[in-house]
Amino acid sequence: MNDTPATALPPTDRTRVRRVAENARYDRATLHAIIDAAYLCHVAFADDKGTHCIPTACWREGEHLYIHGSNGGRLIKWLGKGIDACVTITHLDGLVLARSAFNHSMNYRSAMVYGRFEPVADKHASLAALMDHLAVGRQAEIRAGNDKEFAATTVMRIALDEAACKVRSGPPVDDEEDMQHPVWAGVLPLVQVRGAPVVDPLNTAATPGYVQAWADTARAA
Amino acid sequence: MNDTPATALPPTDRTRVRRVAENARYDRATLHAIIDAAYLCHVAFADDKGTHCIPTACWREGEHLYIHGSNGGRLIKWLGKGIDACVTITHLDGLVLARSAFNHSMNYRSAMVYGRFEPVADKHASLAALMDHLAVGRQAEIRAGNDKEFAATTVMRIALDEAACKVRSGPPVDDEEDMQHPVWAGVLPLVQVRGAPVVDPLNTAATPGYVQAWADTARAA
């Protein structure tokens, strides 16, 4: 890894997009944006019981994607062996209703990262970065992890070296001969929005700025 | 497969939830609800190039989860060999802000299905079911698939036999000794909502009922 990685992610045999290749993106800016917009990823790996697809929280620091978990869990236990993994993040942005059945699609932003996870030595710094990803400023307010909690937790990361994104946006694309077919065409958007914060019934603390900011940008339920 | 499967999904070595086991759900009603609320799933499988995690559209018919794709795509090509797969759907419902760092969590509904995909003979009926999942009533309006399009498309399904769900909801759960720590505690909800339909600039058709219904339930952007 260089400190200043190339802007482009050279496609490999695994990451070169073949289906609808014009939707492929191999630049780090797109990859970073897709990861940073996500709270969770799906991690695929194979162990002695088969192939698994496990959702887990994720965050990015520089050119790595991070996850964490309980030492004893299947995910951490097996990824810790240095086995191949694939991490995928998908944001669904809408249903694309075309004139022909065949050209129906979805608008989305997805990222796939291939590689092997490695354990992170400085768990304190990385878990603080996770907290920052959830709520900027909260790390200074919470009851920090104690030795027992840190000892029970593993933080792992995968390099953003072998990765590709796929992005579709915009209206349906129909064949010329279908354009006069009398059916509505367009996009039905889907958006992940914030809901109004739900305070714990036993909460006694004042509302911090990041919760107020969440409330200010929340949509009515 | 029975026509009237048991209500419960007996946990296997792969599906028995060990971490936070009280969040596990092994009933078909929960499984069906999680699948039916989804437009896409993540499919994990291993081929000669490694382990993959691929997002793809999904829908449910009875006790099977369905996907479709291009015959030549990696997903369809390899699943068609009858290899082990794991299908995961995750709905993120919120960030759970606890008093201690360690007890932070997320609210979510997730489903994992293990097994092998099988090809579906009656593609016409199943792709009509997909269209129904996207927009009820649209199948009768669109330009239906032609022989060439159907020939290029494979529909596959996986039985909902070996599956488990995990669901977390509600406020944070802190240790007793942390309850007086002076930090805001509660949930920051996340919700997938509908955005206002975006009509294709070249659309000439009237707005159908399902698009109007989408508009009526959409939130302001």
Side-chain angles (χ1 to χ4, degrees), chain A residues 192-203:
Chain A
Q192 181 181 264
V193 299
R194 299 169 165 196
V198 180
V199 64
D200 185 311
L202 300 176
N203 175 71

Side-chain angles (χ1 to χ4, degrees), chain A residues 134-156:
Chain A
L134 301 179
V136 174
R138 187 168 174 84
Q139 178 65 25
E141 305 168 353
I142 48 174
R143 197 274 282 158
N146 58 37
D147 290 349
K148 186 182 161 197
E149 291 165 347
F150 273 107
T153 305
T154 299
V155 180
M156 304 198 79

Side-chain angles (χ1 to χ4, degrees), chain B residues 7-9 23-37 60 89 91 108-112 160 163-168:
Chain B
T7 305
L9 297 154
N23 290 343
R25 303 283 183 278
Y26 301 106
D27 65 285
R28 287 182 188 274
T30 299
L31 178 63
H32 291 177
I34 290 171
I35 298 172
D36 294 350
R60 185 179 66 85
I89 291 168
H91 303 288
Y108 60 90
R109 293 157 287 142
S110 73
M112 292 176 72
L160 303 179
C165 302
K166 209 168 169 184
V167 176
R168 192 200 187 285

Side-chain angles (χ1 to χ4, degrees), chain A residues 6-125:
Chain A
T7 304
L9 296 153
T12 70
D13 213 24
R14 297 196 288 204
T15 64
R16 183 172 289 106
V17 174
R18 292 174 175 81
R19 297 286 135 194
V20 200
E22 64 269 28
N23 290 344
R25 302 283 183 278
Y26 301 105
D27 64 287
R28 289 183 187 272
T30 298
L31 178 62
H32 291 178
I34 290 171
I35 298 173
D36 294 350
Y39 291 110
L40 62 80
C41 62
H42 286 83
V43 182
F45 64 97
D47 69 8
D48 58 341
K49 300 215 168 61
T51 304
H52 308 280
C53 184
I54 296 187
T56 194
C58 68
W59 68 103
R60 184 179 66 85
E61 299 177 46
E63 297 304 327
H64 287 84
L65 180 147
Y66 286 69
I67 63 172
H68 78 309
S70 170
N71 297 347
R74 180 161 56 188
L75 179 70
I76 294 298
K77 191 177 128 193
W78 281 87
L79 292 182
K81 297 178 193 283
I83 59 174
D84 277 330
C86 177
V87 182
T88 300
I89 291 168
T90 309
H91 303 287
L92 178 59
D93 294 328
L95 310 180
V96 180
L97 304 188
R99 293 157 186 87
S100 71
F102 191 75
N103 283 315
H104 278 66
S105 186
M106 294 186 184
N107 283 339
Y108 61 90
R109 294 157 286 143
S110 72
M112 293 178 72
V113 182
Y114 286 90
R116 296 172 179 198
F117 280 86
E118 60 181 0
V120 172
D122 189 350
K123 292 191 247 189
H124 288 68

Side-chain angles (χ1 to χ4, degrees), chain B:
Chain B
M1 289 292 296
N2 295 320
D3 284 343
T4 54
T7 305
L9 297 154
T12 69
D13 215 25
R14 297 195 289 202
T15 64
R16 183 172 289 107
V17 175
R18 291 173 176 82
R19 296 286 135 194
V20 201
E22 65 267 29
N23 290 343
R25 303 283 183 278
Y26 301 106
D27 65 285
R28 287 182 188 274
T30 299
L31 178 63
H32 291 177
I34 290 171
I35 298 172
D36 294 350
Y39 291 109
L40 62 82
C41 61
H42 286 84
V43 182
F45 65 97
D47 69 7
D48 58 342
K49 300 218 169 58
T51 304
H52 308 280
C53 183
I54 296 187
T56 193
C58 67
W59 68 103
R60 185 179 66 85
E61 297 177 47
E63 298 303 326
H64 289 82
L65 179 147
Y66 286 68
I67 64 172
H68 77 308
S70 169
N71 296 346
R74 181 160 55 187
L75 179 71
I76 293 299
K77 190 176 129 190
W78 280 87
L79 293 181
K81 296 177 193 285
I83 59 174
D84 278 329
C86 177
V87 182
T88 300
I89 291 168
T90 309
H91 303 288
L92 178 59
D93 294 327
L95 310 180
V96 180
L97 303 189
R99 293 156 186 88
S100 71
F102 191 75
N103 283 313
H104 278 66
S105 185
M106 292 184 184
N107 282 338
Y108 60 90
R109 293 157 287 142
S110 73
M112 292 176 72
V113 181
Y114 286 91
R116 296 172 180 199
F117 279 85
E118 60 182 359
V120 172
D122 190 350
K123 292 191 249 190
H124 288 69
S126 284
L127 291 173
L130 166 57
M131 193 61 70
D132 255 1
H133 182 50
L134 301 179
V136 174
R138 187 167 174 83
Q139 178 64 27
E141 305 167 353
I142 49 174
R143 197 274 283 159
N146 59 36
D147 290 349
K148 187 182 161 198
E149 291 164 347
F150 273 106
T153 305
T154 298
V155 180
M156 304 198 78
R157 67 179 196 174
I158 187 171
L160 303 179
D161 284 341
E162 187 180 356
C165 302
K166 209 168 169 184
V167 176
R168 192 200 187 285
S169 60
V173 178
D174 271 298
D175 299 334
E176 187 55 40
E177 59 266 32
D178 293 326
M179 291 302 290
Q180 299 313 313
H181 190 86
V183 63
W184 189 89
V187 174
L188 302 181
L190 290 161
V191 197
Q192 181 181 265
V193 300
R194 298 170 166 194
V198 180
V199 64
D200 185 311
L202 300 175
N203 176 70
T204 56
T207 305
Y210 52 83
V211 172
Q212 189 57 53
W214 190 284
D216 293 343
T217 53
R219 314 297 162 89

